[in-house]
Amino acid sequence: MTSQNTQIEAKTRHRNNLIILVLLIGALVLSNSQQFSPVTEWFTQDQLYQQNQHYLGQLKSDAQQDFNRLAALTGLLDVAQSSQIGLYFFAEFNVDVGNALAAFTSLVERGAEIAMASTTALILISLLSDMAETVSPMALQLSLIAAIIWFAMRLLHATEKHQQLARQLTGLTFFIYLLLHLALPYSLHLSAGISQQITADFRQDNSQSLSQIHLHIMGNNNKQDLKQKAELSVDKLKKMSSAHINQKVESLSSYVIKSLALTLFDLLLMPGLILLMLFRAGVLITNHLVEVAHQVGIHEQQQTSS
């Protein structure tokens, strides 16, 4: 009776492994078939991808606008210091005003650096999102192929060393799929949602502050040529008092500090923390699934040997 039960259990395990193997092969075929696109659409993140790209595009547009304003201010200050238009510009100022203007120039440069770094980071994140969208289907197929090889080895009673290698490969490819298909897109998506709720108004006010500084100094003289623009802007600087320039320094200093804080929060802190949590969740899920399947395989071998 015991021998018969053992044979029945062995046949049941063999049948279950065979069913799983057939299902895995079917899933691999479906993932490559155009006829079953409604089914395979679940494995895509097109809508989520478009939302993330729209969010990144908005942030990049804002960063580029700020950079353009700061670049215009930098150009004006360079003209005031080096060209014939501003040849006697600093000579007419006292020491306090000159120091305040030097501080203003330094802050403009720091702000431009932050805007450029923010734009660069956004482009890199966008490229990373493109990569995840492109590579995740291939990672899914690789994980299915690795799982098929693993279960085929179990059916053929391959050596434990080979089964362990196939098991590790399955876990690795499945984890990469979870990382690219879920962790990266959703960390960005959740970060965008949090950012829009917390920092959107803060960011808009900060950008508006820079726009007011730019408009007050540069003016709305888009129709003049470069020389006329420089002359008018330098004349405005000459008419500013020391207190007025110090006020601009304080406003620009506040803009630079807030820009740095917003960039770190929106592009590093929030997506990094969410990605770390999802990363840990992916590791736990992958290890659990692989370990369960491995323990089932060990139990099968023990039952067969007995």
Side-chain angles (χ1 to χ4, degrees):
M1 186 66 179
T2 305
S3 177
Q4 289 180 349
N5 290 338
T6 302
Q7 291 178 357
I8 292 173
E9 290 179 0
K11 290 181 179 179
T12 302
R13 290 191 297 269
H14 184 82
R15 185 176 66 251
N16 291 339
N17 285 332
L18 185 60
I19 291 173
I20 294 174
L21 182 60
V22 171
L23 291 175
L24 289 171
I25 294 174
L28 181 62
V29 172
L30 287 176
S31 66
N32 288 284
S33 176
Q34 297 295 331
Q35 297 178 352
F36 296 94
S37 56
V39 178
T40 57
E41 282 180 359
W42 185 87
F43 296 98
T44 63
Q45 300 277 21
D46 289 341
Q47 185 176 2
L48 182 64
Y49 169 77
Q50 295 297 333
Q51 291 175 352
N52 288 342
Q53 290 296 320
H54 178 70
Y55 166 70
L56 294 173
Q58 285 184 327
L59 291 183
K60 186 170 67 174
S61 176
D62 293 341
Q64 288 175 337
Q65 286 182 357
D66 286 356
F67 178 78
N68 291 337
R69 294 184 181 119
L70 291 164
L73 290 173
T74 301
L76 166 64
L77 295 170
D78 289 342
V79 167
Q81 296 178 68
S82 61
S83 72
Q84 292 182 354
I85 296 174
L87 183 61
Y88 302 105
F89 175 58
F90 286 97
E92 297 177 4
F93 278 158
N94 57 38
V95 175
D96 292 337
V97 175
N99 291 336
L101 200 58
F104 184 81
T105 303
S106 178
L107 288 171
V108 169
E109 293 174 351
R110 299 292 83 75
E113 291 172 357
I114 293 173
M116 182 179 294
S118 178
T119 303
T120 303
L122 287 166
I123 293 174
L124 290 175
I125 294 174
S126 180
L127 291 174
L128 188 61
S129 178
D130 291 340
M131 183 272 295
E133 177 71 10
T134 303
V135 177
S136 60
M138 292 184 285
L140 173 62
Q141 292 179 2
L142 287 176
S143 65
L144 289 173
I145 293 173
I148 289 171
I149 295 173
W150 181 20
F151 277 90
M153 287 183 174
R154 290 174 59 172
L155 283 173
L156 297 174
H157 302 290
T159 62
E160 176 61 25
K161 180 179 179 180
H162 291 156
Q163 289 192 41
Q164 181 181 6
L165 181 61
R167 182 175 69 251
Q168 292 175 347
L169 182 61
T170 302
L172 177 61
T173 53
F174 183 68
F175 171 73
I176 292 174
Y177 170 70
L178 289 180
L179 180 65
L180 296 177
H181 185 68
L182 296 178
L184 283 174
Y186 277 101
S187 64
L188 184 57
H189 183 68
L190 294 174
S191 176
I194 294 173
S195 175
Q196 289 173 354
Q197 292 294 326
I198 297 177
T199 64
D201 294 338
F202 196 44
R203 182 180 292 277
Q204 184 177 1
D205 292 342
N206 198 44
S207 182
Q208 186 65 29
S209 174
L210 176 63
S211 178
Q212 291 175 356
I213 296 173
H214 173 268
L215 183 62
H216 187 269
I217 296 178
M218 301 296 296
N220 189 14
N221 46 18
N222 294 326
K223 294 183 179 181
Q224 285 93 4
D225 59 23
L226 293 176
K227 183 178 180 179
Q228 290 175 327
K229 287 182 181 180
E231 288 175 344
L232 291 174
S233 298
V234 169
D235 287 339
K236 285 187 177 182
L237 285 176
K238 287 181 178 180
K239 295 176 183 178
M240 288 185 183
S241 64
S242 175
H244 199 175
I245 293 179
N246 284 325
Q247 181 183 3
K248 296 301 179 185
V249 170
E250 291 178 1
S251 298
L252 190 58
S253 176
S254 175
Y255 164 81
V256 171
I257 294 172
K258 290 178 181 178
S259 294
L260 180 60
L262 288 169
T263 299
L264 293 176
F265 182 84
D266 289 340
L267 303 183
L268 182 62
L269 184 61
M270 282 310 304
L273 288 176
I274 296 173
L275 179 60
L276 179 61
M277 290 187 291
L278 294 177
F279 177 85
R280 291 295 302 164
V283 171
L284 293 175
I285 292 172
T286 302
N287 290 341
H288 177 71
L289 292 176
V290 173
E291 184 62 24
V292 167
H294 178 53
Q295 291 299 328
V296 171
I298 292 176
H299 179 72
E300 292 175 0
Q301 290 181 353
Q302 291 176 348
Q303 291 291 335
T304 301
S305 61
S306 62

